[in-house]
Amino acid sequence: MRNKYLLFFISFILTNSLVFSQNSSEKKPLASILLALEKSYDIKFSYSDNDVKNIFIQQPKKDISIENLLSFLNKETFLQFKTLDNRYVTVSFLNKYISVCGTVLDANSLEPLFLTSVKVNGYKLGTTTNNNGNFNLKNVPANATLTISFISFKTKIITAKELFSSNCKEVFLEEETEELSEIIMPKFLTAGLHKNTDGSTVLDTEKFGILPGLIEPDILKTIKILPGIESINESISNINVRGGTNDQNLMLWDGIKMYHSGHFFGLISAYNPYLTKKISVTKNGTSSAFSDGVSSTINMETSNEITNKLSGGGGFNLLSADAFVQVPIKKNLEAHISARRSFTDVINTPTYKNYFSRSFQDNSISSSTINNADSKFYFYDYSFKVLYDVSYNHTIRANFIHIKNNLDYQEKYTTNTTTIEENSSLKQENLGANINWHANWDAKFSTNLSFFFSDYRINSTDYNKDSDQYQTQFNNVLETEVKLDSKYEISDVLHFTNGLVINEIGVKNTTTVNAPTFSKTDKNVLLKSAFYTEIEYHKKNTYARFGVRANYFDQFTKFVVEPRINIRQQLNTELSVKLEGELKNQTTAQKIDFEDNFLGIEKRRWILSDNEDTPIIKSKQASFGAAYSKNKLYVDITAFYKKADGITAVNQGFYNNTQAVNSIGNYKVKGVEFLVNKQTEKISTWLSYTYAKNDYTFDIFNPTTFSNSLDITHSLSAAFNYNFTEFFKISFGGVLRSGKPYTTPIDGNETIKSGNRTIVNYNNPNQEKLDNFFRLDLSGSYNFDFSDVIKSTIRLGFTNLTNKENIIDSYYIVDETSKNNVNRVNNYSLPFTPNLSFRINF
């Protein structure tokens, strides 16, 4: 009985399936329909398989005449069906070009994808989808293929024939899950910070949340919260990555190498965060496309997409005001403009007074109390970018940036009955420009051709009334570079990149003195070229990037080959391991000269390698780590080792008797970075700890190996973020770290004679350490809307809540009253400093 019911059920299913298939209006392959028609009508179709491939139509009605049948086929396809006699029918293209249409939808939500790119491969033809996800294209070659792509979704390639229909085909795009630089931590510490598979950390300024003490997404202040990144003197112009000096960081802004990083001589970032969209920080395992920066690569990028929407914003804090705007000019042409200027030369806010005292605390500007002195300081920066889509396969981007700090110092004093006025000044600026042409030659192969120039200069004039000496100093770096990069997608998971670079850099240093008359100019130029190649693999739980860069230095007839490696393996859903390694070089460094400086403020001047007294700096670095992530708990631990050869003593800023003696040495740093971050819907809290041992080796010193001036043995930071509502957030945190090493005079023999001068008789370098550095910061943020279009944010920040006097540097000077004793000079960090910002975006 049971078998009868089973047979009945199977028969019922088969019968209904047959009836459904016969009545179905679903389209069928044209090739199979033609085979069936040949039998039904006893005719023979003559066609090419490629012509009917990927064409789907509805089944024609039964028992219609051949004339009606051919009319139906002609109507439903872009082919021409023509009878030669009563038996043979030829099939050919009616037109070489056809019209296609479609609707692009999100495969998960089924929502239309607005502004999806639709390109005809191999032709200068394309379009984008409208608000409903629809697109139409005319005069498309019938045998062409189309690439349909949307940001963060998998690209799809489809034939034109599939899109030829009176009823537009729906095309479903799936979210990208195996993108090469995929984000593995979508929210890292705070909103807007991401962790990438390749180990880099990315700051998305548009989504920036809140951090202790910060009132805006200050680019270079933000990255200091990452383990292994310190600022020995609290300045963003002196960011130290894994024990390296600031000049060992490659700073890129839209592909332009920048030699200037901070306003207010290092206390705030020189780059407007509201136009800079994304910043990535790489400490090791760098792509072979990058050279220089033996400690890190800090790559800043502005928005690169044409939005066709007018948007912008502006705001102010207690130091400056800024504005930015994105202006569509045509459908394929857009301009992005930003500008910022301080009002510190007009208004003296409490924030400005603290910043000024911090920057100029131990030089002639702050120490002049006898005479009537007046100083004016201001800074500005502006940038603009032109985005032009030549076609859907070719885009051109051009940008320009100008950064400037300006200090004018005026001193008046009276001699007998005459009033004498002396002026000193300091001007520091960096101009940069870049033009970039990106071309997609087909769905797999693309190239990028770019050119940049960067012009950095610092110009000072200083009058010392005590010696009646007038001094000028000038430091200029001019760099140009042409770079051709190509990328071939071997498959969805394997990418192959090659590139060629030609670079020329010139550095000029000029010093003049009127009494006694003295003038000196040093100018050096270096031409270098490089070829790099790299292969990148990412499939499921494995990410690997292997590259090599071959550098040739024309003046030195020297090759330097640098392999790079970056591997990450996901062991299970929670645990992953990573291995990174690289060899890098750089040919520029900053000379620190305490005897011959810029107004006692800016002691750093760029110099260029000559392969003798100033060699090419080379570093080798390796790191291994593991990461654990589960239930919004993220734990990361990384052990690292780095050695940098070719550093010189004059570049390290030693306070000792041999500070002017040039000696070539190295530093080695090894340590462990640890980070734990726990997040809930309203809370993000983290603790970061770095242990590092950083030592110099220089033959001229005794002992030859001693603590690096940047040796911070222990560094601990912690923070607590709480979102009261979607609109109101606070962040509280602090930093506790070891004090930096410093050098003391020899006890009982503090001064010695050097010619006609008396100088401090320093002991062996870096034998002592300053007291621990400790600081607590607090910030709050509140968002509100003036309208549906105009959004606003107000933020309040407090730096150094406890007003602790942290000594960040210490040195000694001769006591002019006795000539035998010395006085200790301490530099202090910022005291308790409030700041406020208000912004409007539209």
Side-chain angles (χ1 to χ4, degrees):
M1 188 71 176
R2 183 176 299 171
N3 292 337
K4 289 183 180 180
Y5 283 121
L6 181 59
L7 289 172
F8 175 78
F9 178 74
I10 292 173
S11 300
F12 177 80
I13 293 296
L14 289 174
T15 303
N16 280 277
S17 298
L18 182 61
V19 172
F20 177 80
S21 65
Q22 290 175 342
N23 295 331
S24 174
S25 61
E26 291 184 359
K27 295 181 178 181
K28 296 181 178 180
L30 177 60
S32 63
I33 290 178
L34 294 181
L35 288 174
L37 292 176
E38 285 180 339
K39 295 178 181 179
S40 300
Y41 287 85
D42 190 25
I43 58 178
K44 187 68 176 179
F45 292 99
S46 178
Y47 58 86
S48 169
D49 290 338
N50 288 331
D51 290 345
V52 299
K53 186 179 179 181
N54 296 323
I55 299 178
F56 296 83
I57 64 170
Q58 294 182 2
Q59 184 76 35
K61 294 179 180 180
K62 292 184 177 181
D63 301 328
I64 60 175
S65 65
I66 291 182
E67 290 77 12
N68 290 335
L69 173 65
L70 298 183
S71 176
F72 170 81
L73 293 175
N74 285 330
K75 181 180 178 181
E76 292 296 316
T77 69
F78 51 83
L79 301 172
Q80 184 178 33
F81 291 80
K82 188 175 181 181
T83 58
L84 292 179
D85 51 34
N86 292 329
R87 178 169 169 76
Y88 291 96
V89 179
T90 60
V91 183
S92 60
F93 281 110
L94 179 63
N95 291 304
K96 188 177 179 181
Y97 299 96
I98 61 175
S99 296
V100 299
C101 65
T103 302
V104 183
L105 304 172
D106 183 332
N108 292 324
S109 66
L110 301 182
E111 292 291 325
L113 296 178
F114 174 51
L115 289 180
T116 299
S117 173
V118 181
K119 300 179 182 179
V120 181
N121 297 322
Y123 298 87
K124 296 181 179 180
L125 185 63
T127 186
T128 56
T129 57
N130 61 18
N131 292 331
N132 298 319
N134 300 326
F135 69 88
N136 290 276
L137 275 173
K138 296 181 179 180
N139 298 321
V140 177
N143 284 329
T145 59
L146 288 83
T147 296
I148 301 176
S149 60
F150 191 74
I151 297 173
S152 76
F153 283 76
K154 288 184 178 180
T155 297
K156 178 170 284 190
I157 297 177
I158 192 168
T159 64
K161 296 173 184 177
E162 291 180 72
L163 298 173
F164 173 80
S165 175
S166 55
N167 298 321
C168 294
K169 180 183 178 70
E170 291 182 338
V171 180
F172 299 96
L173 296 187
E174 297 179 354
E175 288 190 25
E176 179 65 74
T177 57
E178 293 186 348
E179 187 178 358
L180 281 176
S181 292
E182 104 177 279
I183 293 172
I184 58 172
M185 281 291 292
K187 182 181 178 183
F188 179 60
L189 306 183
T190 188
L193 271 178
H194 314 306
K195 193 78 172 178
N196 277 356
T197 301
D198 64 0
S200 62
T201 303
V202 175
L203 168 62
D204 185 343
T205 57
E206 290 182 348
K207 300 177 181 178
F208 179 75
I210 189 171
L211 289 173
L214 296 190
I215 55 163
E216 57 188 6
D218 189 301
I219 297 163
L220 300 179
K221 280 186 177 181
T222 300
I223 68 173
K224 291 196 297 181
I225 71 169
L226 303 176
I229 301 181
E230 306 286 347
S231 177
I232 197 76
N233 64 353
E234 202 182 43
S235 163
I236 60 169
S237 287
N238 193 17
I239 292 177
N240 315 118
V241 180
R242 290 181 175 172
T245 52
N246 180 72
D247 58 351
Q248 294 174 358
N249 301 318
L250 172 62
M251 200 83 62
L252 295 172
W253 186 88
D254 258 0
I256 307 169
K257 185 178 177 182
M258 304 297 291
Y259 288 87
H260 179 56
S261 57
H263 285 316
F264 231 123
F265 303 99
L267 292 182
I268 60 175
S269 172
Y271 306 99
N272 191 330
Y274 298 104
L275 196 68
T276 308
K277 184 177 181 180
K278 185 177 75 173
I279 305 96
S280 62
V281 182
T282 306
K283 294 182 281 187
N284 191 9
T286 316
S287 167
S288 60
F290 298 106
S291 184
D292 295 324
V294 296
S295 281
S296 74
T297 299
I298 301 171
N299 189 16
M300 297 167 279
E301 301 176 43
T302 61
S303 177
N304 209 39
E305 299 296 326
I306 294 178
T307 62
N308 288 315
K309 291 182 179 179
L310 178 65
S311 62
F316 66 88
N317 54 44
L318 298 185
L319 293 173
S320 63
D322 74 278
F324 73 96
V325 64
Q326 298 182 357
V327 183
I329 301 171
K330 296 169 63 178
K331 184 178 180 181
N332 63 337
L333 183 64
E334 192 165 290
H336 298 175
I337 305 167
S338 76
R340 174 172 55 167
R341 192 191 188 280
S342 69
F343 42 74
T344 51
D345 52 337
V346 180
I347 303 173
N348 290 340
T349 65
T351 306
Y352 167 70
K353 291 178 181 178
N354 286 352
Y355 274 43
F356 189 87
S357 298
R358 161 64 184 80
S359 296
F360 308 135
Q361 60 185 286
D362 66 338
N363 53 65
S364 58
I365 293 177
S366 62
S367 62
S368 180
T369 56
I370 299 175
N371 302 306
N372 181 20
D374 180 48
S375 60
K376 288 186 178 181
F377 172 77
Y378 68 89
F379 64 82
Y380 65 78
D381 59 75
Y382 63 88
S383 65
F384 62 84
K385 183 173 185 176
V386 177
L387 302 88
Y388 176 50
D389 288 352
V390 181
S391 68
Y392 289 95
N393 291 321
H394 298 270
T395 60
I396 292 177
R397 303 290 184 260
N399 48 67
F400 176 84
I401 186 170
H402 184 199
I403 300 166
K404 186 171 184 177
N405 285 265
N406 192 93
L407 171 68
D408 291 313
Y409 176 61
Q410 185 182 79
E411 195 173 13
K412 295 179 181 179
Y413 56 94
T414 303
T415 302
N416 297 327
T417 59
T418 304
T419 299
I420 301 176
E421 182 179 297
E422 299 293 347
N423 297 312
S424 298
S425 67
L426 175 64
K427 295 177 174 60
Q428 185 182 29
E429 60 186 322
N430 201 159
L431 291 87
N434 178 56
I435 185 166
N436 177 286
W437 168 37
H438 182 81
N440 292 314
W441 301 105
D442 57 36
K444 292 182 177 293
F445 182 67
S446 63
T447 59
N448 202 80
L449 178 64
S450 63
F451 167 81
F452 84 75
F453 88 88
S454 182
D455 186 4
Y456 168 84
R457 56 187 63 198
I458 182 166
N459 197 350
S460 79
T461 59
D462 185 19
Y463 178 73
N464 188 325
K465 69 178 183 62
D466 296 327
S467 60
D468 194 28
Q469 189 178 75
Y470 187 80
Q471 179 180 249
T472 67
Q473 293 188 29
F474 178 71
N475 179 217
N476 178 220
V477 182
L478 181 62
E479 182 170 1
T480 57
E481 180 179 283
V482 178
K483 182 177 181 179
L484 176 62
D485 179 276
S486 68
K487 184 175 182 180
Y488 181 71
E489 297 183 10
I490 301 172
S491 68
D492 290 341
V493 299
L494 192 63
H495 292 188
F496 186 47
T497 301
N498 293 282
L500 181 65
V501 183
I502 300 175
N503 177 284
E504 184 180 70
I505 180 171
V507 178
K508 182 179 180 180
N509 278 289
T510 301
T511 302
T512 63
V513 181
N514 69 326
T517 302
F518 172 80
S519 179
K520 180 182 179 181
T521 298
D522 292 321
K523 184 177 181 180
N524 296 290
V525 178
L526 180 61
L527 177 66
K528 53 185 178 178
S529 55
F531 171 78
Y532 60 87
T533 184
E534 187 171 83
I535 192 161
E536 198 168 20
Y537 174 83
H538 187 197
K539 185 175 182 181
K540 295 183 179 179
N541 297 325
T542 303
Y543 174 85
R545 184 173 66 203
F546 302 95
V548 64
R549 184 182 182 98
N551 306 275
Y552 178 72
F553 303 91
D554 186 68
Q555 279 85 340
F556 313 146
T557 60
K558 184 174 184 177
F559 273 104
V560 175
V561 179
E562 301 167 340
R564 316 276 175 87
I565 183 173
N566 191 321
I567 300 174
R568 181 180 181 272
Q569 177 65 48
Q570 190 80 31
L571 301 179
N572 53 40
T573 55
E574 293 103 24
L575 186 64
S576 64
V577 293
K578 56 185 177 180
L579 174 66
E580 299 164 327
E582 66 180 26
L583 268 64
K584 292 183 78 177
N585 81 86
Q586 69 178 65
T587 53
T588 53
Q590 285 182 322
K591 180 181 178 181
I592 304 173
D593 191 342
F594 296 111
E595 298 297 326
D596 188 19
N597 56 59
F598 296 102
L599 296 176
I601 303 168
E602 187 60 44
K603 304 179 177 74
R604 302 172 183 270
R605 280 176 279 172
W606 288 99
I607 59 175
L608 187 62
S609 297
D610 58 14
N611 206 36
E612 293 179 358
D613 295 334
T614 307
I616 299 170
I617 300 173
K618 300 176 184 177
S619 74
K620 52 186 176 183
Q621 190 173 181
S623 58
F624 178 78
Y628 174 84
S629 180
K630 186 177 182 181
N631 297 328
K632 295 188 177 181
L633 172 66
Y634 180 75
V635 182
D636 190 304
I637 184 167
T638 302
F640 64 89
Y641 170 84
K642 181 172 70 173
K643 181 183 179 183
D645 292 298
I647 63 173
T648 58
V650 294
N651 293 348
Q652 303 306 309
F654 294 128
Y655 288 101
N656 53 52
N657 301 336
T658 57
Q659 64 177 260
V661 178
N662 193 41
S663 175
I664 299 170
N666 65 65
Y667 72 84
K668 296 178 185 178
V669 57
K670 52 187 176 181
V672 177
E673 299 168 353
F674 174 78
L675 174 71
V676 56
N677 177 212
K678 175 62 179 177
Q679 300 180 26
T680 65
E681 184 178 348
K682 291 191 174 183
I683 295 173
S684 178
T685 183
W686 69 87
L687 182 144
S688 170
Y689 171 73
T690 302
Y691 168 82
K693 182 57 180 168
N694 193 352
D695 289 325
Y696 286 125
T697 298
F698 282 103
D699 293 337
I700 63 169
F701 296 117
N702 185 22
T704 57
T705 299
F706 54 96
S707 292
N708 193 309
S709 300
L710 303 177
D711 182 29
I712 302 297
T713 309
H714 304 281
S715 180
L716 178 71
S717 64
F720 176 83
N721 285 7
Y722 187 79
N723 300 339
F724 287 93
T725 66
E726 182 183 351
F727 308 101
F728 179 48
K729 306 171 184 178
I730 64 166
S731 181
F732 174 74
V735 177
L736 173 63
R737 67 168 185 253
S738 306
K740 67 162 286 190
Y742 73 104
T743 306
T744 58
I746 296 176
D747 191 21
N749 189 23
E750 288 86 0
T751 61
I752 57 173
K753 282 285 186 179
S754 177
N756 296 324
R757 296 187 307 150
T758 300
I759 63 173
V760 177
N761 186 24
Y762 279 103
N763 208 333
N764 294 329
N766 296 344
Q767 300 297 304
E768 304 294 331
K769 281 206 169 188
L770 299 174
D771 294 337
N772 292 340
F773 179 97
F774 176 70
R775 194 184 73 210
L776 291 175
D777 302 323
L778 175 69
S779 60
S781 173
Y782 182 70
N783 301 329
F784 57 97
D785 300 339
F786 285 108
S787 67
D788 293 338
V789 176
I790 302 176
K791 316 290 182 180
S792 58
T793 303
I794 186 168
R795 284 184 172 140
L796 185 63
F798 302 96
T799 301
N800 197 359
L801 283 169
T802 61
N803 200 30
K804 187 175 187 305
E805 286 191 335
N806 290 299
I807 300 176
I808 56 177
D809 200 6
S810 187
Y811 62 95
Y812 293 81
I813 59 174
V814 175
D815 186 343
E816 298 291 344
T817 60
S818 67
K819 301 291 183 182
N820 294 317
N821 295 319
V822 294
N823 291 330
R824 178 174 173 175
V825 178
N826 292 324
N827 283 342
Y828 294 92
S829 67
L830 271 175
F832 170 74
T833 303
N835 206 348
L836 170 74
S837 73
F838 176 74
R839 300 206 61 78
I840 292 178
N841 295 299
F842 61 88

